[in-house]
Amino acid sequence: LNRDAKSSRAMSHSGAFVADEAAQRELDDMRNSRPPKPVAYVTKEEMHDAYVPHEWRDFCAHLLIPLNRCREAEYHLPWKCETLRNAYEKCQHNDYERRRWLKSKGEDGAED
């Protein structure tokens, strides 16, 4: 690839190449759009019954409960329960990104 030649591809903010300007606009719209409100899939009683500590009672607790049960059943072996762990970590990351977006826009996520 000749770096001096003009390319029809544009560089996005993240450094990845984008095929055209329409795709670049779509990426910008995705960055500027409000993330969806999180949904609590488990109740406080379910979290209490599963002995989820208060600091871990968030929007990803519905994944933490089966993950902890799997960890107990598999004696906390690190190569076990990988699918559940990856799903839980992805949920945590998505929640972090949502809170970061809200903070960058000056909004408080408390009403969510």
Side-chain angles (χ1 to χ4, degrees):
L1 181 69
N2 187 352
R3 293 182 188 266
D4 296 332
K6 285 209 168 202
S7 174
S8 62
R9 298 184 300 177
M11 193 76 132
S12 73
H13 298 291
S14 64
F17 282 104
V18 179
D20 56 9
E21 291 180 23
Q24 180 63 45
R25 275 186 261 119
E26 186 177 339
L27 282 174
D28 290 339
D29 290 343
M30 286 171 51
R31 280 190 199 94
N32 295 325
S33 65
R34 182 178 177 79
K37 285 188 175 185
V39 177
Y41 294 102
V42 293
T43 64
K44 291 180 182 180
E45 291 79 23
E46 290 172 320
M47 289 186 269
H48 174 38
D49 294 343
Y51 301 106
V52 176
H54 287 283
E55 60 269 14
W56 295 105
R57 294 183 184 189
D58 58 7
F59 295 109
C60 300
H62 67 286
L63 298 169
L64 182 61
I65 293 170
L67 175 61
N68 284 341
R69 287 185 183 140
C70 179
R71 285 174 171 166
E72 284 180 27
E74 299 294 340
Y75 302 104
H76 291 271
L77 295 172
W79 58 88
K80 301 287 187 171
C81 310
E82 285 183 347
T83 305
L84 289 171
R85 183 175 48 85
N86 288 337
Y88 177 71
E89 289 174 356
K90 181 176 170 61
C91 179
Q92 288 285 304
H93 176 73
N94 290 343
D95 191 46
Y96 165 76
E97 289 293 334
R98 181 189 66 85
R99 288 182 282 116
R100 189 177 71 139
W101 186 91
L102 290 173
K103 185 176 181 180
S104 73
K105 300 299 180 190
E107 298 182 29
D108 184 17
E111 71 273 355
D112 286 342

